[in-house]
Amino acid sequence: MRDLRLFSAPPRDASSAQVRTRVSRLLEPHALALCAAAVLSLGIVAATVAPARAARGPATPLRTVEITITAAPARLTILPGLATDVYAYDGRVPGPTIELREGDSVIVHFRNELPEASTIHWHGIHLPFVADGSPFHPVAPGGTHDYVFTLQPGSAGTYWYHPHPHPVTTHQVVKGLFGALIVRAPDDPLSDIPERVLVLSDNRFTSGGAIDFPASGSLQATMDAENGREGDVMLVNGQVMPVLPIRAGEVQRWRIINASAARVYRLAIPGHRLLHVGDDGGLFEDPVEVDEIVLANAERVELLVRGTGAPGSRALLQSLPYDRYIPQTRPADWNRTRDLAVLEYSTEPPRTAPALPARLREIPALDPTTARETRVVAMSQGMINGRHMDMHRVDLQVKLGATEIWQIENLVGMDHPFHLHGFQFQVLERDGVPEPFRSWKDVVNVPKHQTVRLIVRFDDFPGKWMFHCHILDHEDQGMMGVLEVTP
Ligand code: C2O
Ligand code: CU
Ligand code: CU
């Protein structure tokens, strides 16, 4: 188990020694200007005494980090020469990339300057119920809310943030509200490797550049309701076909986030084998060599991209066809390969590739024999366990501290990516096949008519937590339930 209690008390000495310092950037010196949207300025309230920490890596002083984020309408150029009215965090799409460290105490001051209620949900983060930004805590237009949480040891990984007001999450995310959140470990074995964050989204636009929402009752509206909204314009960090520079021989660490409402990516860089080193909750134990990776909605991966191409050459980051649809509403062009970005080699001579660690970290296994309960969660079109979400109903109750096995069954002929708030899990098996290696996840795609078994420990934080399909239209239709963790 990760030791999730270590930092649950407020940092000692926090009151005596607080001197507020402002730092303009928190980029580690090696970072590749992250290619993502600008990194957020953070207010660091002085580091406090380092706690006794578990035997992992050098102690890093604890910090309290204060961040202010505003959601507001904005007008941006997304397509060349056209202005698009969006909703944006701090005026950008995607919102600023937030970089934090394990052990940080975080205070996010959220200002909602949208004409509608919203929230910021910290997707994948293990935090108190009131900080989850779920539909239980909407922030009114003109209102503010402080999200206060501490990043747990062992939680380093790639996360993201997005609004979660029921039932209008699709609309707000599609309008531009999403951003990356990186949590760093003090003992990251890949910390010397230059890094990029790639936030994937897709959208549809009118010829004038406006985000194109279908008229209600139109065929497109029906298709969107069924499949989830997909667009024909692929965006990486809010840009069409960005150029990603690389040098022959170089290795880059890419953190990729699927922020699309419904598009599932099957990522590949033809001519390159990829080293898959992590997913939702951070690094694997060992790298896995692959040719392609399926990235369902809200999932994240960490990849090592090795510059095996020749100086001056180019390669494409692509999304290969992936059939997640029922035949009746499968889009006519579903089997098109989509180009996402260009990998462009400099003309410099190849550099020597760095040595890569074979072992990345230990991930303790959650033990199925300690599970108190096995629950079945059945997903059908728009419903979970045969019901639409009702905020006033509790669908599942769990005792604080319990370990449980959840069997997620997809009863229908379309994939549904299952997500649980607040608690990361380990996948035990997919359709009867034992998961080949351990990882921490908070989203797992459940392909048509398949079953996934996962194990989860509810080690902290009583309250009400959502579980849902992360195709946003499905979630808004009520393909979501409420889990109550009780002391
Ligand atoms: Cu990423 Cu309930 O959401
Ligand atoms: Cu979530
Ligand atoms: Cu779904």
Side-chain angles (χ1 to χ4, degrees):
M1 266 313 296
R2 291 181 290 181
D3 181 356
L4 297 175
R5 293 240 154 65
L6 196 57
F7 293 116
S8 52
R12 287 172 287 153
D13 273 13
S15 51
S16 58
Q18 280 189 355
V19 180
R20 177 180 294 239
T21 53
R22 288 265 157 199
V23 292
S24 58
R25 318 193 75 191
L26 258 196
L27 270 179
E28 303 295 333
H30 63 261
L32 262 186
L34 285 178
C35 174
V39 171
L40 191 64
S41 298
L42 303 176
I44 308 296
V45 178
T48 54
V49 179
R53 53 162 50 249
R56 51 190 315 284
T60 310
L62 280 190
R63 311 180 301 177
T64 300
V65 179
E66 277 192 73
I67 300 169
T68 301
I69 300 183
T70 304
R75 177 165 288 192
L76 299 179
T77 299
I78 296 171
L79 302 177
L82 294 172
T84 303
D85 287 313
V86 298
Y87 286 173
Y89 288 124
D90 286 3
R92 311 182 178 123
V93 177
T97 294
I98 302 174
E99 290 202 57
L100 297 167
R101 299 185 200 148
E102 290 181 1
D104 282 348
S105 291
V106 185
I107 305 169
V108 182
H109 305 290
F110 171 48
R111 303 181 53 82
N112 180 9
E113 289 175 7
L114 301 169
E116 53 186 299
S118 191
T119 73
I120 306 183
H121 170 56
W122 307 96
H123 181 116
I125 302 285
H126 184 54
L127 39 55
F129 168 53
V130 292
D132 188 40
S134 81
F136 284 106
H137 299 101
V139 181
T144 61
H145 184 77
D146 287 349
Y147 297 98
V148 180
F149 53 92
T150 298
L151 294 167
Q152 311 289 331
S155 68
T158 309
Y159 300 87
W160 64 300
Y161 59 98
H162 63 79
H164 214 308
H166 192 64
V168 289
T169 296
T170 313
H171 179 252
Q172 292 192 6
V173 171
V174 165
K175 286 281 277 185
L177 295 174
F178 52 88
L181 167 58
I182 310 299
V183 180
R184 297 192 183 281
D187 53 354
D188 182 344
L190 303 177
S191 61
D192 290 338
I193 296 178
E195 208 174 286
R196 291 182 187 287
V197 178
L198 304 180
V199 183
L200 308 184
S201 66
D202 61 326
N203 219 329
R204 294 198 299 266
F205 298 88
T206 65
S207 54
I211 296 174
D212 187 4
F213 288 101
S216 70
S218 62
L219 177 62
Q220 188 63 57
T222 309
M223 291 282 282
D224 286 1
E226 188 72 15
N227 295 336
R229 177 190 165 97
E230 291 185 338
D232 56 336
V233 177
M234 305 294 122
L235 298 164
V236 176
N237 299 332
Q239 293 170 268
V240 177
M241 281 293 274
V243 171
L244 311 175
I246 192 168
R247 179 175 170 183
E250 185 187 352
V251 175
Q252 296 183 0
R253 177 190 200 169
W254 291 10
R255 299 171 182 269
I256 309 181
I257 300 169
N258 182 354
S260 280
R263 181 173 295 280
V264 173
Y265 296 83
R266 193 176 136 218
L267 298 170
I269 307 177
H272 293 66
R273 301 210 75 201
L274 306 169
L275 273 187
H276 189 186
V277 292
D279 58 14
D280 303 341
L283 294 174
F284 296 152
E285 295 194 309
D286 310 300
V288 182
E289 186 148 30
V290 297
D291 289 314
E292 53 180 68
I293 289 181
V294 173
L295 192 66
N297 314 94
E299 281 188 308
R300 290 86 67 200
V301 281
E302 293 187 50
L303 293 182
L304 297 185
V305 175
R306 292 164 297 180
T308 48
S313 67
R314 300 177 130 216
L316 291 170
L317 172 65
Q318 295 183 314
S319 183
L320 308 176
Y322 178 73
D323 183 10
R324 65 182 184 85
Y325 313 94
I326 51 171
Q328 296 84 329
T329 57
R330 187 186 287 132
D333 62 352
W334 77 273
N335 58 359
R336 252 187 69 191
T337 292
R338 310 272 177 170
D339 296 339
L340 306 179
V342 184
L343 187 64
E344 195 171 83
Y345 283 87
S346 70
T347 53
E348 297 161 280
R351 53 156 290 176
T352 337
L356 301 174
R359 189 70 170 175
L360 300 171
R361 66 164 172 173
E362 302 288 331
I363 301 180
L366 294 179
D367 177 3
T369 65
T370 63
R372 284 205 200 181
E373 188 112 41
T374 296
R375 296 180 194 266
V376 172
V377 176
M379 301 194 289
S380 52
Q381 203 66 15
M383 288 185 282
I384 294 190
N385 288 343
R387 304 198 281 200
H388 293 289
M389 212 245 333
D390 178 346
M391 302 276 295
H392 304 290
R393 186 183 69 220
V394 168
D395 297 283
L396 300 176
Q397 273 202 320
V398 170
K399 260 292 195 218
L400 190 65
T403 298
E404 297 196 347
I405 291 172
W406 285 23
Q407 175 160 323
I408 319 296
E409 298 178 357
N410 183 349
L411 306 182
V412 295
M414 175 182 292
D415 289 18
H416 293 290
F418 174 85
H419 170 50
L420 172 64
H421 280 215
F423 303 88
Q424 289 198 319
F425 49 78
Q426 295 177 355
V427 173
L428 295 173
E429 44 176 76
R430 303 185 196 229
D431 230 31
V433 179
E435 191 74 343
F437 47 83
R438 265 197 295 286
S439 72
W440 290 110
K441 289 191 63 61
D442 49 66
V443 184
V444 60
N445 188 45
V446 189
K448 31 183 103 162
H449 297 297
Q450 293 196 16
T451 293
V452 169
R453 281 165 70 86
L454 56 87
I455 184 165
V456 54
R457 194 166 106 92
F458 298 96
D459 43 22
D460 212 337
F461 304 133
K464 291 182 179 173
W465 301 94
M466 323 309 297
F467 54 92
H468 58 88
C469 174
H470 218 292
I471 290 177
L472 297 181
D473 298 83
H474 297 175
E475 171 191 326
D476 284 343
Q477 287 155 24
M479 194 170 175
M480 178 152 67
V482 176
L483 159 75
E484 184 168 28
V485 177
T486 54

